[in-house]
């Protein structure tokens, strides 16, 4: 009888997982980039990105089994200059299904560094789950001396496995620093210390696989507006373009975009978001035609507010969002709103 009771207790314990260490379940979604790249010869600069599969990336960090139970998912394998809004939507749907079905506790996305900040920000705007989502990549290909991919991936999984990373919006981890998706930008073309938040700095750092978040006041409240990924799956996102301002810029590019059916234009202005008289005349005309115009800046720090030059009724200002992120918010905004005041309200969430 005693033997029978012990057997039943052992079976119940086994089935319930009692006594076993349960580690956070992390799904790594791989999209390509340099982290999956291979140098033509290890000493050469030239390399081809997006060569390794997610399984190979996971094999490069065997130590991770102490921190998390990891599974891989290959979404695509591309250099991130080829990223598209269609792939953003697919990624967001996959992340939504993973969390809705309780298939994992956290997600890591590996991505080329060139447009990582754009995909991360798009996901930040449409993800409604509080589970950690962390982007990472690398600046050096996988077989180069001092390849930074494995360390970045290890840190990203550790962060995604840490409950403290939940409800902070989508995060980016590069070179041991943690950033918010809305503030981070690539600021170096080749160096492993390539990512910064120029105005606010990093949210924290990773030491020995442990996340250290700096002062809570560095964290912005999450934006109140989230866009429904379920609805975005069935439509193409509105076309929004970026026009760069510079000394001597004419309105040729701006006018050409309007003639070719753009639904919104972000002006990457000089200084506090300024642009030439010619562009101003075209921008006013476009707003009268119902095309959304957002004034942003090509300058890295300070953002754009409305109390300055080049202000006119109906124009939206980007606040702290860079032109490439203002474009993404405007694309999503135009799926729901048309009134400049409503669109401005969304941008005001990024003071
Ligand atoms: N241009 C490539 C990409 O963004 C390589 C850059 C990188 O990943 O660091 O995927």
């Amino acid at each position: 009888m005693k033997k029978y009771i012990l057997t039943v207790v052992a079976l119940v314990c086994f089935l319930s997982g009692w006594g076993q260490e349960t580690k956070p379940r992390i799904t790594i979604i791989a999209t390509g980039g340099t982290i999956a790249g291979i140098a033509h010869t290890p000493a050469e600069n030239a390399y081809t990105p997006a060569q390794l599969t997610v399984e190979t990336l996971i094999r490069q960090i065997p130590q991770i089994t102490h921190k998390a139970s990891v599974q891989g998912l290959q979404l695509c394998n591309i250099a991130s200059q080829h990223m598209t809004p269609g792939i953003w939507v697919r990624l967001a749907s996959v992340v939504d299904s993973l969390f809705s079905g309780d298939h994992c506790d956290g997600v890591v996305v590996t991505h080329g560094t060139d447009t990582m900040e754009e995909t991360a920000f798009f996901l930040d705007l449409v993800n409604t789950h509080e589970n950690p989502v962390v982007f990472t990549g690398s600046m050096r290909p996988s077989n180069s001396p001092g390849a930074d991919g494995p360390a970045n991936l290890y840190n990203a999984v550790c962060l995604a496995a840490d409950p403290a990373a939940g409800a902070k919006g989508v995060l980016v981890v590069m070179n041991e620093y943690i950033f918010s998706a809305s503030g981070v930008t690539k600021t170096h073309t080749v160096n492993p210390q390539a990512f910064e938040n120029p105005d606010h700095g990093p949210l924290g750092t990773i030491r020995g696989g442990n996340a250290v978040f700096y002062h809570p006041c560095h964290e912005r409240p999450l934006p109140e507006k989230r866009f429904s990924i379920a609805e975005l799956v069935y439509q193409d996102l509105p076309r929004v373009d970026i026009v760069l301002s510079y000394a001597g810029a004419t309105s040729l590019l701006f006018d050409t975009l309007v003639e070719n059916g753009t639904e919104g234009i972000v002006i990457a202005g000089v200084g506090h978001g300024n642009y030439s008289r010619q562009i101003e005349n075209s921008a006013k005309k476009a707003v009268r035609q119902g095309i959304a115009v957002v004034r942003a800046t090509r300058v890295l720090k300070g953002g754009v507010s409305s109390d300055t030059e080049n202000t006119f009724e109906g124009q939206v200002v980007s606040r702290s969002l860079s032109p490439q992120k203002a474009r993404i918010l405007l694309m999503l905004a135009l799926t729901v709103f048309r009134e400049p005041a409503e669109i401005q309200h969304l941008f005001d969430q990024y003071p």
Side-chain angles (χ1 to χ4, degrees):
M1 182 63 181
K2 195 173 158 199
K3 205 170 158 193
Y4 171 77
I5 291 170
L6 282 176
T7 309
V8 171
V9 170
L11 189 64
V12 169
C13 288
F14 173 75
L15 290 175
S16 66
W18 183 79
Q20 292 178 353
E21 203 191 339
T22 50
K23 299 197 187 80
R25 301 160 301 157
I26 306 302
T27 300
I28 300 177
I29 303 176
T31 68
T34 299
I35 192 167
I38 299 181
H40 301 164
T41 67
E44 239 183 277
N45 278 339
Y47 70 97
T48 310
Q51 300 297 297
L52 306 182
T53 63
V54 68
E55 287 79 22
T56 309
L57 296 182
I58 293 171
R59 274 199 296 275
Q60 290 173 342
I61 51 167
Q63 313 85 340
I64 205 62
T65 50
H66 298 292
K67 288 276 188 182
S69 147
V70 171
Q71 64 168 352
L73 199 156
Q74 191 80 47
L75 185 78
C76 56
N77 213 354
I78 57 171
S80 73
Q81 60 268 40
H82 305 306
M83 186 52 67
T84 64
I87 303 177
W88 292 343
V89 171
R90 256 196 312 131
L91 171 65
S93 312
V94 169
V95 171
D96 185 43
S97 316
L98 285 169
F99 290 144
S100 300
D102 190 29
H103 298 300
C104 66
D105 301 307
V107 159
V108 168
V109 181
T110 61
H111 199 287
T113 58
D114 289 357
T115 64
M116 182 192 290
E117 66 202 66
E118 296 179 42
T119 306
F121 185 54
F122 176 82
L123 192 55
D124 195 41
L125 290 170
V126 300
N127 176 36
T128 51
H129 302 273
E130 297 208 334
N131 309 54
V133 178
V134 183
F135 275 66
T136 198
S138 78
M139 295 299 290
R140 295 177 179 147
S142 60
N143 58 335
S144 75
D148 51 335
N152 285 342
L153 183 58
Y154 179 82
N155 285 338
V157 175
C158 291
L159 183 60
D162 186 337
K168 284 191 166 54
V170 171
L171 301 173
V172 170
V173 165
M174 286 293 287
N175 202 29
E176 299 184 351
Y177 287 111
I178 306 168
F179 298 97
S180 65
S182 58
V184 73
T185 194
K186 186 174 182 180
T187 58
H188 200 287
T189 52
V190 289
N191 195 287
Q193 180 44 42
F195 282 78
E196 286 177 60
N197 179 334
D199 260 331
H200 300 278
L203 295 178
T205 186
I206 306 263
R207 295 251 170 90
N210 297 311
V212 180
F213 284 96
Y214 302 151
H215 309 292
C217 61
H218 280 185
E219 293 167 32
R220 290 221 181 111
L222 292 176
E224 68 200 44
K225 175 67 190 159
R226 288 283 191 278
F227 297 88
S228 163
I229 195 62
E231 283 164 29
L232 295 174
V233 169
Y234 298 105
Q235 56 179 303
D236 287 334
L237 287 171
R239 183 162 134 229
V240 173
D241 297 285
I242 301 174
V243 168
L244 184 70
S245 174
Y246 46 87
T250 69
S251 61
L252 177 69
L253 294 175
F254 195 107
D255 296 340
T256 305
L257 290 169
V258 170
E259 281 158 24
N260 285 277
T262 193
E263 293 186 53
I265 296 180
V266 175
I267 304 172
V270 291
H272 197 168
N274 298 314
Y275 40 79
S276 65
R277 194 68 65 210
Q278 269 201 40
I279 294 182
E280 180 171 349
N281 290 338
S282 294
K284 284 179 176 162
K285 202 165 131 206
V287 166
R288 283 198 297 274
Q289 285 173 238
I291 294 165
V293 174
V294 174
R295 202 179 93 224
T297 176
R298 66 182 202 181
V299 177
L300 271 184
K301 287 185 178 185
V304 171
S305 54
S306 48
D307 51 352
T308 181
E309 309 166 70
N310 286 126
T311 315
F312 64 88
E313 185 69 25
Q315 176 184 237
V316 172
V317 292
S318 71
R319 303 287 180 205
S320 66
L321 292 180
S322 63
Q324 58 272 30
K325 288 192 189 151
R327 170 181 173 255
I328 295 167
L329 182 56
L330 185 55
M331 288 165 93
L332 287 167
L334 290 172
T335 64
V336 185
F337 304 112
R338 285 284 152 180
E339 282 303 312
E342 293 172 316
I343 297 171
Q344 184 62 66
H345 184 66
L346 295 174
F347 281 88
D348 289 345
Q349 298 174 107
Y350 300 91

